[in-house]
Amino acid sequence: MIVKWRAAVREAARGPVATHALIAGCCLVFVLGPASGLNPSYGTGERLLETGGAYFRRWGVVPDELFTGSGRALLTPLTALFVHGSWLHLLGNMLFLYVFGAMAEERMGRPAFLCFYVCTGYLALAAYAAANASSDQTLVGASGAISAVLGAFLCLFPRARVTSLFPFLLFLPLRFPAWLVLLFWFALQWLAAHRAGSGPGVAYLAHLVGFSLGFVYAWGRYRRTTRVRRSATATEGDSQP
């Protein structure tokens, strides 16, 4: 029994620990925060809306405050990576991180993957804030960092196959090459960014910046090494974007 337990521990230690830790951290922060509705300390009704708004302004990125020189404001692109506005927001981001993060982490290594995730996520949110410097709308979520993971995945595993559900194909699960799915996703973000207004909504620009940063980093860092060319995916190699 002890031998089996030790073997299980060693096997878990070889897995995508950083990816799982990031997912666990985001889920924990969300459950303890006001948006989950599970923490009674934030109250209900009008009080929940007030405390929730204050919570997001404290931990999220407010573009017109980010470049004022305040140390607290300069930390918000980091803290905002672990804050999500709704269950749907959280689950959508964590699904993409779970699917694409494991193989990217395996290729980069845990410390490098964590550094990559945090740095690209910070830069993606900061770029969005710089482009909307006069906005007082709060920006939260890990989508900028996860978009960077998608960009890196495209560069590192272009021939991997992923399962996708497309509404215009009656949600039939179909398998496509990763490069096709991810370029299609990027094109949708590009079109949405050009149609988005300046009010609250999805920060498509952060997605585009994150994706581009991830792809450029992976290309610059790993272009001289052997690429993974297998057509089969790993256990977490299927996605439903």
Side-chain angles (χ1 to χ4, degrees):
M1 181 66 69
I2 295 177
V3 173
K4 291 183 178 179
W5 180 82
R6 288 177 177 175
V9 171
R10 286 196 298 269
E11 182 64 26
R14 289 195 293 267
V17 175
T19 298
H20 292 165
L22 288 169
I23 293 173
C26 288
C27 290
L28 179 62
V29 170
F30 181 79
V31 168
L32 296 178
S36 69
L38 300 177
N39 190 338
S41 66
Y42 289 101
T44 59
E46 291 295 329
R47 182 169 181 268
L48 178 60
L49 292 176
E50 293 177 1
T51 55
Y55 177 90
F56 290 129
R57 288 193 69 86
R58 179 180 181 183
W59 301 111
V61 178
V62 183
D64 66 358
E65 296 179 2
L66 180 60
F67 302 106
T68 60
S70 166
R72 187 200 66 79
L74 290 175
L75 285 176
T76 56
L78 175 60
T79 57
L81 293 177
F82 296 91
V83 179
H84 291 82
S86 67
W87 284 99
L88 184 61
H89 188 201
L90 173 74
L91 295 176
N93 276 348
M94 295 305 100
L95 173 62
F96 272 77
L97 179 56
Y98 177 78
V99 168
F100 293 99
M103 291 177 67
E105 177 186 345
E106 179 184 0
R107 184 69 177 84
M108 295 181 183
R110 289 174 198 161
F113 178 78
L114 278 174
C115 183
F116 163 81
Y117 181 92
V118 171
C119 292
T120 55
Y122 187 104
L123 292 173
L125 295 181
Y128 177 88
N132 299 273
S134 61
S135 174
D136 62 352
Q137 299 293 336
T138 306
L139 178 63
V140 297
S143 55
I146 295 171
S147 297
V149 173
L150 300 185
F153 190 97
L154 174 62
C155 181
L156 297 173
F157 306 100
R159 296 190 181 184
R161 300 185 71 84
V162 295
T163 301
S164 302
L165 300 178
F166 293 99
F168 54 84
L169 295 178
L170 304 178
F171 292 98
L172 293 176
L174 301 174
R175 291 177 67 79
F176 295 97
W179 67 265
L180 181 61
V181 173
L182 293 176
L183 288 179
F184 178 76
W185 176 89
F186 184 84
L188 290 180
Q189 304 305 304
W190 179 274
L191 293 174
H194 282 75
R195 295 177 181 176
S198 58
V202 180
Y204 295 107
L205 178 60
H207 299 177
L208 296 173
V209 172
F211 188 93
S212 301
L213 288 173
F215 185 89
V216 169
Y217 171 80
W219 182 83
R221 174 64 177 82
Y222 299 101
R223 71 182 186 275
R224 293 188 179 87
T225 60
T226 303
R227 274 187 176 181
V228 175
R229 296 185 179 275
R230 61 191 176 198
S231 58
T233 56
T235 303
E236 294 98 359
D238 288 346
S239 71
Q240 299 176 353

